[in-house]
Structures are given as C-alpha cells and as structure tokens.
Amino acid sequence: MGAKYVGVLTAGGDSPGLNAALRGIGKAGLGLYDMQFVGFLDGFRGLMQNRTIRLDEKSLSGILTRGGTILGTSRDKPHKMPVGGKYLDMTDAMMDTYERYHLDALVCLGGGGTQKSALRLKNRGMNIITLPKTIDNDVAMTDVTFGFDTALGIATEAIDRLHSTAHSHHRIVVVEIMGHNTGWLALGSGVAGGADVILIPEIPYNVNEIADAILQRSRGGKRFSIVAVSEGAMPVELAAKKNAVEEKLRKEEDEDKREKLSGELVRLEEERSNSTLALTQNLEKLTGLESRVTILGYLQRGGAPSAADRLLATRLGTACTRLLHEGRYGVMVAARGDGMEPVPLEEVAGKRKTIPMGHPWLESARSVGTCLGD
Ligand code: F6P
C-alpha cells in the first residue's frame, strides 16, 4: 500500500543537494499524493530522541539552492549510538519513534554508512527508501551521487587558481582533495583542472616516481607542478603495512590480539592523515623545488549546489516519492542514465564504489601525460 505518513532524515557528512532532494520528495508528496512528512533532526540521533520538524509547503520553500541540510545531520549509527559515554544499540528506540508517528515509511538521505544503517532499520521492520548523496561519489550501484558535481566544480576551480600562483613562483603546489577511501573527486578535478600529478587511494604512490615526473617537466622548461592528492592516497610502503594489518585482523580471533591490531590500524591511519604534508616535504627534498601544500577541506562540501546537483537531487527526490506512493520499499533510488532504478538495500549496503583500474578517466589522465604515482 502507498505511504501517507513519511519520516525523512539526512545522515552522514552534509552534501550540496540535500535540501533540493528534501524539497523534491516533499513537494511531490504534498502536491501529488497528499502525503504528510515529518523531518527528524540531526540524522539517526533525531529519530532516537524524537526531535522533529514538520516538512510542509512553508519549510520546503526557498531551499532548492541552499547548501547543507535544513534537517541537520550527524554521523551517528543506530546500533552504535554514543549515549552516556557508551556506544549502545538504539535501534529499538528508533522503532518506537517510527511507531509513535504511525509512519508508513522512512526516507534516509545519505552515503555509504547511511545505506548500512538503513538496511539495519529495514531488518528491524521499517519501510525504508534511501537516496545516495556524498561528495565522494563512492556509493555502490548508482551512476553518481548528488553533491559530487558541486564539489568537483569547487576543486577544479581551486586547481585553476593554484596554477597561476604555482606558475608565478615556480613552485610545486600539492593540493589535498576530499575522498577518504576513493579518488573520484581528486581524479575528476585533477583531469578537469590539468593537474600534473594525480594521486588516489586506489593507486598507492611511489614518491620517487612523482619526483622524477616533476623533474622531467622541469627539464622541459615547466618550472611548476600541480599535484592533486586525495586525502586517502598513501605511499606504497604505508599501503602495504595497512593491508598486512587488516589481513591479520580479519583472521585473528583472540580478543587481546585483535585489540592490539586495531590500535596499530589507528596509528597507521594517523600516519596516513599526515601523508600529504610528508609528501610535500619529500618532493621539495627530492626535486630541489620549493613546495607548498593547500588542503581544500570542508570548502568542498559547503555552499549552493551546482545546477547538475539540483537537477539530480530533484530527479531522485521526486522518483523516491513515486516509489513511496507505490509502496516499493527496501530500496535505494539509484541514478541510472537520465532515469532511476530502485536497487535493493542488500545490494548497496557495505559496498563501496572505488575507481576501477582501466576506468576511462584514468586512461585519459595517462593519455595526456599525467603522472598517477605508480
Ligand atoms: O563527505 C565525505 C567526506 O567529505 C570525506 O571525503 C571525508 O573524509 C569526510 O567526509 C570528512 O567529514 P567529517 O569530518 O564530517 O567526518
């Protein structure tokens, strides 16, 4: 049966296009199907604590172009909620709220983590539909996520601007671009902005190869270089250590030993988070060229969504409402070409869309002479 009472929440890191999607879901639901919407504040935490706002014509007006999310967000997970200094499974409390509002369905807008949490709530008995958002573009089973295009534009513009200062000072400029686990944003903006070196988590890098590529440019008369690096990219040595510890952790059953290995992973993660700075210093040493680092950080998530993201978020939002009306639950509304496809949550949760080796963007980058650090 089609939904009438619908809950909505936004979870995970914020992303341009969230408000456009909320507006799409809400306006289509109010206007076409007489649905009623309640918005839960700050992700799954608001669902647990029963903190809400009404999503009506008034609150959904004027938000299409606004960045962030009018609902607020958090990275809290239903089964690992920080409560009173402990992490507790609060799925039942969320089910209570769902029942208190007599909801027919709950829509969760989020990235990879949200898809997993949503599946958990589905298995607890809720009717769930999700939408794929994240500037990282790493949600499985969808062509693209909303937020990505906006961040791509921001990162590309940043690379453009860094070009003129790098050129004037004959420097290496290393620019760190978001993407904890996947390199879509660094690769896309690196190709679009003409970065000379692009480093992504999918391809561990060799700092000597990068230095050689820069020195070769230098010998050819190009006395500056732009290095676009994903925050998750790391040198081969560190990647090998991390893989080895993860492999051991997968096999280890002894609790004490598991704890030790987890601690080791945290330490390696810290090393990784400092690797952009270390890379910049190493490149200066190896090439003799003055080097600077720029970390774009949260700039990439802020501000108004691009036209493409507004369109995508509105498209997926209104498609979601159609699915609500048809009572088709337990799915993520995936972008497929110009249309959409409902994909069962089981096929999305726990998976990540990394850049496949041989992806056309990688081939193009190599074809124009970009160094990928390998
Ligand atoms: O939105 C995804 C992302 O931008 C990642 O690239 C990044 O690692 C992460 O969010 C950081 O966000 P936060 O500090 O909000 O957890």
Side-chain angles (χ1 to χ4, degrees):
M1 202 190 70
K4 176 144 176 63
Y5 299 104
V6 179
V8 187
L9 60 82
T10 55
D14 71 331
S15 186
L18 277 170
N19 288 327
L22 290 173
R23 172 181 173 272
I25 298 166
K27 287 211 166 191
L30 295 169
L32 299 177
Y33 307 115
D34 205 23
M35 290 176 187
Q36 289 187 31
F37 294 94
V38 57
F40 294 100
L41 299 175
D42 304 332
F44 294 104
R45 176 160 288 270
L47 182 62
M48 173 185 82
Q49 295 172 335
N50 184 18
R51 286 188 297 114
T52 63
I53 58 166
R54 221 176 128 78
L55 290 177
D56 52 16
E57 274 297 340
K58 191 161 173 273
S59 56
L60 292 167
S61 269
I63 63 168
L64 174 65
T65 61
R66 233 199 271 169
T69 158
I70 58 165
L71 292 180
T73 188
S74 71
R75 291 202 181 269
D76 294 323
K77 300 176 182 70
H79 67 297
K80 264 192 197 166
M81 271 289 162
V83 184
K86 284 190 192 146
Y87 285 98
L88 301 178
D89 185 344
M90 299 305 285
T91 314
D92 285 346
M94 293 181 198
M95 191 69 200
D96 286 349
T97 312
Y98 182 88
E99 283 171 346
R100 185 170 312 145
Y101 286 89
H102 304 289
L103 294 180
D104 297 310
L106 175 73
V107 180
C108 306
L109 283 61
T114 304
Q115 309 302 327
K116 276 203 251 178
S117 297
L119 177 60
R120 210 170 269 278
L121 296 184
K122 183 210 149 186
N123 291 339
R124 179 65 183 77
M126 296 185 202
N127 292 326
I128 300 279
I129 299 186
T130 66
L131 258 62
K133 74 88 203 139
T134 161
I135 66 162
D136 292 348
N137 194 32
D138 60 355
V139 176
M141 306 298 289
T142 181
D143 288 357
V144 68
T145 55
F146 56 85
F148 176 63
D149 182 75
T150 309
L152 186 63
I154 296 168
T156 303
E157 192 193 333
I159 294 175
D160 289 349
R161 287 176 184 276
L162 290 168
H163 255 105
S164 61
T165 169
H167 180 265
S168 305
H169 283 270
H170 318 298
R171 281 175 175 159
I172 297 172
V173 172
V174 178
V175 50
E176 187 184 277
I177 293 161
M178 271 190 170
H180 200 76
N181 297 300
T182 61
W184 294 103
L185 204 47
L187 179 60
S189 59
V191 171
D196 308 296
V197 179
I198 301 175
L199 306 174
I200 57 175
E202 290 87 341
I203 305 179
Y205 60 80
N206 180 330
V207 68
N208 293 309
E209 294 292 337
I210 304 168
D212 281 353
I214 290 173
L215 285 173
Q216 210 175 322
R217 272 176 59 78
S218 192
R219 282 193 289 272
K222 292 177 177 159
R223 295 169 60 206
F224 76 95
S225 285
I226 302 285
V227 180
V229 51
S230 257
E231 61 178 335
M234 59 188 120
V236 270
E237 303 79 15
L238 183 56
K241 274 191 221 162
K242 216 171 153 235
N243 285 343
V245 177
E246 279 168 353
E247 185 59 30
K248 274 191 202 159
L249 191 61
R250 261 192 294 278
K251 291 183 188 152
E252 188 55 71
E253 282 173 10
D254 182 279
E255 263 318 305
D256 288 347
K257 287 186 184 155
R258 283 185 66 81
E259 206 169 303
K260 248 191 177 169
L261 288 168
S262 301
E264 178 63 6
L265 267 187
V266 171
R267 201 194 58 70
L268 292 174
E269 180 55 27
E270 247 165 55
E271 197 176 325
R272 188 205 56 77
S273 67
N274 293 324
S275 56
T276 304
L277 200 56
L279 171 69
T280 311
Q281 288 162 349
N282 283 335
L283 287 179
E284 183 162 291
K285 264 189 231 145
L286 291 169
T287 62
L289 293 166
E290 203 176 26
S291 305
R292 294 285 190 272
V293 65
T294 299
I295 295 177
L296 297 186
Y298 295 93
L299 275 178
Q300 296 158 101
R301 284 205 328 223
S306 65
D309 272 337
R310 292 177 205 180
L311 193 54
L312 176 64
T314 304
R315 203 152 66 72
L316 297 185
T318 51
C320 169
T321 308
R322 270 200 308 279
L323 294 174
L324 286 167
H325 177 64
E326 291 163 10
R328 293 171 70 184
Y329 307 126
V331 293
M332 177 185 80
V333 190
R336 228 13 118 251
D338 278 339
M340 71 89 191
E341 192 187 331
V343 180
L345 283 176
E346 290 78 1
E347 290 177 29
V348 181
K351 299 197 181 121
R352 182 179 291 140
K353 187 178 75 178
T354 54
I355 303 175
M357 293 304 105
H359 188 276
W361 292 5
L362 286 175
E363 306 257 304
S364 300
R366 289 194 201 275
S367 302
V368 295
T370 310
C371 167
L372 297 177
D374 53 350

